[in-house]
């Protein structure tokens, strides 16, 4: 089979991960890249030895079989629609869109493109790369936890507390995440998206939510509290506290913030059932799964299992193209998560009122 020609749209910080992962794979030709910031695109091409710096999305589509969309969130839906319309394979960054309406439109187009052209479509819910998460999904699906009753999860970062090893919040790659005018849906869309994907992938679909999204003033280098920079409002939520009621009757609590001093990028998930429980703390490693089952249950003892590495989303995307077999998480999954994000936003606008999760297709 000929090499798969891949392009990258948006050549900022996350694009480096896409480029490195594609470069590691046999049978992949990292052919083209495009960014509205042409200098950045040229520097990226030089760094990753990409021969073609495109002048537009259309040029990337023309020379590539598959494309990664790695722009800020507001551009995911329009760029993905164009790629799918051209019948090209798509790996889109999360979240799929900034509204449920747009996410549904992309999901419908992805299904059509798959039927018409055999197009593969995936969404980069990248913490699915954790082998512990993959194993937890299987354990819960086999019913080994009994009936799930309670779930809790968090996703914690600290880059709003001042300069961290990730940089300072006024750096361009962080600043757009604080502004709805730049298409950001805040910490909910950025971190909540991953968290809600993990929680529901293991514990099942959510029926209703009660959610509170908060936007704190930002603290600048002179210690001043800022709600805007000039005319640019810093209005995207930065802290989310969410209660979940699952379709299977279980209840859950999830929270995410960028103000969690002491946490660079901490993701934690615990699922408690009538027969057993599992927990994953990604700070301890992507491959570590803790279980409390069987005889351990009576004493509340936990055992830790190390789960063999599973393929990354990038590897599964390329494998899907080669085998023509669609893998998960696919674009409709992105729309399903968007329905959950949308319910959280609506609930928060009504002061945490119980809100039903809408249809995602
Ligand atoms: N899956 C993950 O684990 C993960 C991790 C980090 C970031 N992300 C996602 O990746 C995306 C990019 O994040 P980032 O940290 O790289 O941001 P970034 O700001 O560093 O880079 C974004 C790049 O996109 C370019 N761009 C903006 N609009 C464009 C357009 N219309 N066409 C082409 N290029 C355009 C910008 O010039 C910039 O170079 C975000 O959606 C973010 O949610 C995902």
């Amino acid at each position: 089979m000929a090499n798969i020609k891949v392009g990258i749209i948006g050549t900022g910080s996350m694009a480096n991960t896409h480029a490195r992962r594609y470069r590691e794979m046999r049978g992949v030709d990292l052919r083209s890249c495009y960014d509205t910031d042409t200098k950045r695109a040229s520097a990226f091409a030089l760094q990753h030895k990409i021969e073609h710096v495109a002048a537009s999305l259309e040029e990337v589509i023309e020379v590539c079989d598959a494309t990664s969309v790695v722009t800020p969130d507001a551009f995911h839906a329009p760029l993905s629609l164009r790629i799918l319309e051209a019948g090209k394979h798509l790996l889109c960054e999360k979240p799929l869109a900034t509204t449920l309406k747009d996410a549904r439109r992309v999901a419908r187009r992805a299904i059509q493109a798959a039927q018409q052209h055999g197009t593969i479509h995936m969404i980069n819910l990248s913490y699915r790369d954790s082998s512990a998460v993959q194993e937890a999904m299987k354990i819960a699906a086999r019913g080994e936890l009994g009936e799930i009753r309670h779930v809790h999860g968090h996703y914690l970062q600290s880059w709003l507390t001042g300069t961290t090893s990730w940089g300072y919040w006024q750096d361009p790659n962080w600043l757009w995440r604080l502004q709805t005018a730049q298409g950001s849906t805040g910490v909910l869309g950025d971190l909540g998206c991953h968290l809600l994907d993990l929680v529901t992938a293991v514990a099942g679909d959510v029926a209703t939510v009660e959610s509170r999204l908060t936007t704190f003033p930002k603290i600048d280098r002179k210690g001043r509290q800022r709600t805007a920079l000039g005319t640019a409002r810093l209005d995207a939520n930065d802290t989310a506290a969410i209660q979940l009621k699952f379709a299977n009757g279980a209840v859950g609590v999830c929270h995410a913030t960028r103000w969690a001093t002491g946490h660079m990028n901490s993701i934690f998930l615990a699922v408690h059932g009538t027969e057993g429980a599992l927990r994953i703390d990604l700070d301890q490693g992507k491959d570590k799964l803790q279980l409390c089952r069987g005889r351990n249950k009576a004493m509340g003892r936990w055992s830790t299992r190390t789960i063999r590495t599973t393929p990354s989303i990038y590897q599964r995307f390329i494998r899907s193209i080669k085998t023509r077999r669609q893998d998960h998480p696919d674009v409709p999954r992105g729309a399903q998560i968007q329905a959950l994000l949308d319910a959280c936003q609506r609930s928060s606008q009504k002061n945490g009122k119980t809100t039903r999760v809408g249809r995602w297709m």
Side-chain angles (χ1 to χ4, degrees):
M1 188 183 181
N3 280 354
I4 296 165
K5 297 189 278 294
V6 176
I8 295 181
I9 312 288
T11 58
S13 63
M14 186 59 189
N16 290 297
T17 303
H18 286 244
R20 278 195 294 269
R21 293 307 191 96
Y22 288 133
R23 274 269 172 258
E24 286 163 9
M25 274 181 265
R26 275 212 216 124
V28 176
D29 173 6
L30 185 50
R31 175 64 65 94
S32 180
C33 66
Y34 168 65
D35 197 295
T36 42
D37 181 333
T38 47
K39 273 196 195 147
R40 192 174 293 175
S42 300
F44 183 84
L46 200 63
Q47 184 186 350
H48 295 285
K49 302 187 175 58
I50 301 170
E51 66 186 42
H52 182 247
V53 181
S56 66
L57 167 71
E58 297 305 321
E59 275 192 16
V60 179
I61 290 176
E62 209 175 295
V63 300
C64 292
D65 309 307
T67 302
S68 274
V69 171
V70 203
T71 62
D73 305 356
F75 305 102
H76 293 178
L79 294 171
S80 294
L81 278 173
R82 186 58 210 108
I83 291 161
L84 292 166
E85 272 158 13
K88 300 295 173 100
H89 308 295
L90 167 73
L91 174 60
C92 181
E93 265 307 338
K94 44 53 61 174
L96 181 58
T98 51
T99 64
L100 179 54
K101 193 172 160 210
D102 282 350
R104 281 194 192 120
R105 195 176 303 148
V106 183
R108 279 196 207 106
R109 177 63 70 189
I111 291 166
Q112 275 171 9
Q115 285 163 352
Q116 283 171 7
H117 310 286
T119 303
I120 298 297
H121 47 84
M122 290 182 74
I123 176 133
N124 199 18
L125 292 162
S126 50
Y127 293 98
R128 295 275 196 109
D129 285 2
S130 151
S131 56
V133 168
Q134 293 291 328
E135 185 66 12
M137 287 165 63
K138 287 185 198 156
I139 288 172
R142 287 196 296 260
E144 291 176 24
L145 304 180
E147 288 179 28
I148 294 172
R149 294 282 198 248
H150 174 260
V151 178
H152 75 107
H154 67 231
Y155 191 156
L156 307 177
Q157 293 183 342
S158 55
W159 54 267
L160 281 179
T161 61
T163 301
T164 66
S165 60
W166 288 35
Y168 177 56
W169 62 264
Q170 288 191 40
D171 294 346
N173 56 325
W174 299 123
L175 192 56
W176 66 262
R177 289 169 159 87
L178 305 177
Q179 299 171 297
T180 59
Q182 297 297 322
S184 171
T185 45
V187 79
L188 177 70
D190 194 10
L191 312 191
C193 178
H194 285 299
L195 182 60
L196 292 168
D197 173 57
L198 296 185
V199 163
T200 54
V202 178
D205 292 348
V206 169
T208 61
V209 299
E210 286 124 38
S211 153
R212 283 182 191 278
L213 306 176
T214 304
T215 310
F216 290 98
K218 311 301 176 269
I219 303 164
D220 72 13
R221 285 200 162 109
K222 291 185 175 159
R224 288 176 302 200
Q225 306 245 343
R226 309 292 297 256
T227 54
L229 290 179
T231 54
R233 296 174 62 215
L234 305 169
D235 58 348
N237 64 79
D238 54 49
T239 300
I242 306 164
Q243 292 193 64
L244 309 163
K245 178 88 178 169
F246 289 80
N248 59 20
V251 294
V253 189
C254 280
H255 48 273
T257 183
R258 309 193 199 276
W259 291 98
T261 302
H263 293 270
M264 297 313 296
N265 195 51
S266 298
I267 300 181
F268 177 84
L269 169 66
V271 180
H272 304 117
T274 50
E275 301 299 323
L278 62 81
R279 61 188 184 209
I280 297 170
D281 179 353
L282 291 183
D283 279 351
Q284 303 303 315
K286 283 163 79 173
D287 57 351
K288 298 287 182 286
L289 177 69
Q290 288 188 294
L291 282 168
C292 177
R293 271 189 315 174
R295 270 187 286 169
N296 278 347
K297 204 177 131 205
M299 299 306 289
R301 275 199 214 102
W302 293 76
S303 60
T304 302
R305 281 171 56 189
T306 301
I307 313 295
R308 217 171 60 182
T309 308
T310 45
S312 70
I313 287 194
Y314 308 92
Q315 288 169 320
R316 283 190 277 131
F317 177 54
I318 296 299
R319 186 176 67 188
S320 287
I321 295 171
K322 285 183 178 167
T323 60
R324 296 171 185 268
R325 248 184 273 141
Q326 177 68 52
D327 206 339
H328 286 280
D330 59 7
V331 160
R333 173 65 177 170
Q336 186 179 19
I337 296 299
Q338 201 83 36
L340 204 38
L341 302 177
D342 176 81
C344 290
Q345 266 167 338
R346 284 185 288 122
S347 167
S348 184
Q349 281 157 6
K350 292 179 190 155
N351 268 328
K353 189 175 173 211
T354 303
T355 301
R356 186 159 286 284
V357 179
R359 276 187 321 107
W360 51 277
M361 278 297 281

